[in-house]
Amino acid sequence: MSAHELFAGTPTLIRLALRRDRVRLPLWTLGIVGISAASAATVKSTYDTPAEIATYGPTAGVSAASRITGGRQVALDTIEGIIANEITLIVTLGITLLVVFTVVRHTRAEEESGAAELVRAGVVGRHAAQVAALVVALAATVVISGLLAAVLVGLGLERTGSLAYAAEVAMLGLVFAGLAAAAAQVTAAARGALAIAGGLLGAAYVVRGVGAVGDSALFWVSPFGWAQGVNAFGEERWWLLGVLLAAAAVCFGLAVVLTARRDAGAGLLQPRPGAARASAILGRPWGLALRTQRGLVIGWAVGLAVLAAIYGSVIPDVPDMLEGNPDMLEAMGLGAGAGDALIDAFLGYVNLTLGVVGAVFGVASVLRLRAEEDTGRLEALIATPLTRTRWLVGSLAVTVVGMVLVALAMSAGMVLGYVPVAGEVSGSRVSELILGVLAQLPAMLLVAALALLILAWLPRFAVLAWALVAWVVLDAFLGETLKLPDGIRSLSPFFHLPAYPTETWTAGPTVALLAASSVVAALALVGYRRRDVG
């Protein structure tokens, strides 16, 4: 078969993908570039004197939390390096998640829904859909990185460094677009492809963070490390862009080879045949939700437990990182011997981070209910004596139990990461590790309940639930940096929780958030009963 036949129809599919994503892509672009621009402008106004710039490197630049989230940024004695360090989290995760979702959406999800079969009935080559998805993902990364470079230059940052930073971000997106394309060939389900690609993304991000904290070779194992190794705003290593491009080419080539080795609509990993008879659990209202979401719960629980363990393993090293650094202690308002206070501050940040990520799981679990409608399974279910109320309550129960299990897994991960590396294990410290993560659960539940409310009353706009997640992330990581008013920040459920263990835990906010979650869930139930299914 000629190359023309293999890629026939690619331009048409590119136009179709752009047409379908005419809302999603601009929103992603506006979110990533807008948040980055706002953060960069705020940082520049905050560090507007040489004295203030000089305090950043010895303080925030060397903290474990900063290195885990932002990596090992160079030139922290300049405003360019400081800005790059502050926006790296949003920019890199934003672009990599964007390309993963885009590629899987236009490849594996299209085959799973049956739309790809209709498309291939026309003059469309075997690799056309895959190439079209990659072109759209590449175009999105180029546009975002180009706008990002324009923003940085517009703020007065050094031009060459701004271009280097934008280029490393674009190449990083290209690598994960290729990984997503390869992952889409492995399983027959879109969620399986997202799980594989997301797992690789998360592992690469964590490995880069651990390598940055310890200044170890692990930093160079991850594509995130290769991208940051370009040293934007320092002594640029342009050749690392070639390494990223080569890695992307390998991933693209692997995706093409795997596509040729499987049947259309199938994955390389064939699903196991089901049992001859359904289990008794599937006869209960919550049975199908448990069956369809067990992989989601297990994957998130294991992944977040590993992330929490990494955070826990860093805890004993936090005071040592500050030894002989009086500038940082003074900047944090602490004096000599303030090791425990520094650990408490670090744990407050970690607990918030894990809580926000756990809330993402809650929203993903809630939106699975929409998938049941889209696939037609729900219509078949409620054609039986099963009412939509019982089905929704059963599905919501699975989501709540799953969130509790994820929170417990994160607590266990923190303890398991901390105990083996701690010289002396304090019972009070272990209790703080457990309670600190569990204390985030009420806010996680409220975010999930709000997502359910959107799904119940505005099913066509269920994607707005991710806008809620974006706001929570923005407030958690940039709320103080952007100096947002408390009235606006209070819209995030996590804003109302104390920064335990730095602040004393009280039952009031927990009870209030749990009560609010119950009320919102009840309103969602009312809305779901009033609307049509599908």
Side-chain angles (χ1 to χ4, degrees), residues 290 297 361 395-408 445:
L290 179 62
V297 174
F361 159 76
S395 299
L396 184 59
V398 171
T399 296
V400 172
V401 172
M403 296 182 72
V404 173
L405 291 177
V406 167
L408 290 172
L445 291 172

Side-chain angles (χ1 to χ4, degrees), residues 268-291:
L268 293 175
L269 297 179
Q270 297 298 322
R272 296 178 301 173
R277 297 178 61 86
S279 65
I281 292 178
L282 290 178
R284 300 183 180 277
W286 46 268
L288 180 60
L290 179 62
R291 176 64 181 82

Side-chain angles (χ1 to χ4, degrees), residues 28 31 51 126 142 158 190 294 303 367 390:
W28 273 94
R126 185 178 186 88
V142 170
E158 195 266 327
R294 64 182 183 184
L367 292 184
R390 292 177 60 206

Side-chain angles (χ1 to χ4, degrees), residues 343-417:
I343 291 178
D344 289 345
F346 174 74
L347 287 179
Y349 175 85
V350 169
N351 292 334
L352 177 61
T353 300
L354 294 175
V356 169
V357 177
V360 176
F361 159 76
V363 173
S365 178
V366 167
L367 292 184
R368 281 288 178 87
L369 308 186
R370 181 61 184 174
E372 296 302 308
E373 294 187 59
D374 293 339
T375 58
R377 285 193 292 262
L378 178 58
E379 187 175 358
L381 284 173
I382 62 176
T384 68
L386 177 66
T387 65
R388 66 172 69 187
T389 299
R390 292 177 60 206
W391 176 82
L392 183 63
V393 171
S395 299
L396 184 59
V398 171
T399 296
V400 172
V401 172
M403 296 182 72
V404 173
L405 291 177
V406 167
L408 290 172
M410 291 189 291
S411 296
M414 288 285 285
V415 174
L416 293 176

Side-chain angles (χ1 to χ4, degrees), residues 10-79:
T10 299
T12 301
L13 293 185
I14 292 174
R15 292 194 297 271
L16 176 62
L18 291 174
R19 175 73 172 80
R20 295 184 60 200
D21 287 353
R22 65 188 183 279
V23 175
R24 283 183 174 86
L25 291 180
L27 286 178
W28 273 94
T29 301
L30 180 62
I32 296 173
V33 177
I35 294 174
S36 301
S39 178
T42 302
V43 171
K44 186 179 180 182
S45 63
T46 301
Y47 296 91
D48 56 354
T49 66
E52 291 171 340
I53 292 175
T55 64
Y56 185 89
T59 54
V62 299
S63 71
S66 176
R67 290 207 166 192
I68 288 175
T69 57
R72 193 168 61 198
Q73 181 63 41
V74 298
L76 292 180
D77 56 346
T78 67
I79 188 61

Side-chain angles (χ1 to χ4, degrees), residues 87 283 332 340 381 410 422 424 445 464:
I87 68 174
M332 299 181 68
D340 288 340
L381 284 173
M410 291 189 291
E424 297 182 2
L445 291 172
L464 290 177

